[in-house]
């Protein structure tokens, strides 16, 4: 889902509400991590109390605006195709459970996924616990799995387990940053991802 712009906007608003500033580039670099981990990186000078206040302000802005995160075209068609092919689809995200459930409900996409894991349940990326949990739930060997991500933390998480990974260049990280993490595959567009997975 195309959430980058809203994440950056929300973080600026939240940080500035408490006297802290950052850059667009810095916010994009923490996307994929849990929210509080990202805030720790962006505002190391903030006290623990200020970081919690920033987290609260972020949520208060992001949640009512979360309808502004549509699927990249033609990703939803791809989910339908993969589901029809009998593939088990899952989500491993840096979002909290409440946030993911809200996004899935708003996009009417819960039915595509057999299991979902969040940072507040399995630890923040790049720790691979989320992927281990998903493999256990689906009872699939790692050789049957592929993880798709747009941040270096996504690829690091998959690499830690030795899982096949696909880096997508239309998200948060630059092509070269993702390439440095040595993903199994790297694609430029959603259409290229669809061709790779559905062929």
């Amino acid at each position: 889902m195309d959430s980058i712009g809203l994440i950056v906007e929300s973080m600026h608003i939240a940080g500035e509400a408490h006297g802290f500033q950052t850059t667009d580039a810095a916010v994009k670099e923490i996307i994929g991590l849990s929210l509080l981990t990202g805030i720790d990186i962006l505002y190391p000078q903030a006290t623990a109390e200020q970081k919690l206040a920033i987290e609260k302000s972020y949520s208060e802005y992001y949640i009512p605006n979360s309808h502004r995160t549509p699927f990249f075209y033609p990703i939803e068609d791809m989910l339908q195709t993969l589901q029809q092919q009998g593939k088990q689809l899952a989500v491993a995200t840096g979002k909290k459970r409440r946030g993911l459930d809200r996004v899935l409900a708003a996009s009417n996409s819960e039915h595509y996924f057999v299991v979902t894991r969040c940072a507040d349940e399995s630890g923040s990326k790049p720790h691979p616990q989320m992927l281990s949990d998903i493999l256990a739930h689906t009872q699939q060997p790692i050789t049957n799995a592929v993880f798709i991500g747009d941040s270096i933390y996504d690829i690091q998480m998959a690499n830690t387990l030795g899982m096949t990974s696909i880096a997508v260049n239309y998200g948060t990280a630059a092509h070269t940053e993702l390439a440095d993490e040595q993903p199994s595959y790297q694609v430029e567009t959603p259409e290229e991802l669809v061709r790779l997975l559905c062929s």
Side-chain angles (χ1 to χ4, degrees):
M1 301 182 83
D2 190 2
S3 59
I4 299 168
L6 181 58
I7 291 171
V8 171
E9 183 180 329
S10 301
M11 189 60 77
H12 281 308
I13 287 170
E16 289 168 12
H18 300 280
F20 299 97
Q21 292 192 332
T22 188
T23 64
D24 290 0
V27 176
K28 288 177 182 178
E29 286 179 4
I30 59 92
I31 293 176
L33 299 173
S34 67
L35 179 55
L36 203 50
T37 299
I39 290 169
D40 282 337
I41 292 169
L42 291 173
Y43 311 115
Q45 70 277 37
T47 64
E49 184 177 309
Q50 288 171 322
K51 289 173 184 175
L52 289 174
I54 293 169
E55 181 184 37
K56 183 173 184 290
S57 296
Y58 177 97
S59 298
E60 287 173 348
Y61 185 83
Y62 188 94
I63 289 170
N65 288 286
S66 58
H67 61 281
R68 293 163 45 195
T69 57
F71 279 106
F72 286 103
Y73 177 82
I75 295 299
E76 189 162 19
D77 290 343
M78 180 190 77
L79 296 176
Q80 293 171 0
T81 298
L82 292 172
Q83 192 177 56
Q84 289 163 4
Q85 291 175 351
K87 304 292 193 302
Q88 295 185 87
L89 307 177
V91 174
T93 179
K95 289 183 181 298
K96 289 185 176 180
R97 169 53 59 188
R98 235 169 61 187
L100 176 63
D101 287 348
R102 184 182 61 253
V103 168
L104 293 177
S107 60
N108 192 30
S109 57
E110 310 103 310
H111 61 284
Y112 292 123
F113 306 106
V114 298
V115 59
T116 59
R117 283 293 179 269
C118 301
D120 56 343
E121 299 166 337
S122 298
S124 181
K125 301 173 186 177
H127 193 283
Q129 186 61 49
M130 285 189 273
L131 297 185
S132 297
D133 290 349
I134 289 168
L135 290 173
H137 179 89
T138 57
Q139 297 186 316
Q140 291 293 326
I142 198 167
T143 52
N144 285 358
V146 59
F147 185 67
I148 303 156
D150 67 348
S151 78
I152 62 171
Y153 308 110
D154 292 326
I155 308 307
Q156 289 170 357
M157 181 168 68
N159 286 348
T160 298
L161 282 187
M163 183 180 289
T164 298
S165 61
I166 302 173
V168 298
N169 296 338
Y170 52 86
T172 60
H175 176 101
T176 53
E177 292 175 312
L178 289 167
D180 286 346
E181 299 301 328
Q182 300 183 315
S184 309
Y185 302 91
Q186 194 164 1
V187 299
E188 293 292 334
T189 65
E191 291 83 358
E192 192 178 343
L193 177 65
V194 171
R195 288 194 296 272
L196 179 61
L197 289 176
C198 298
S199 57

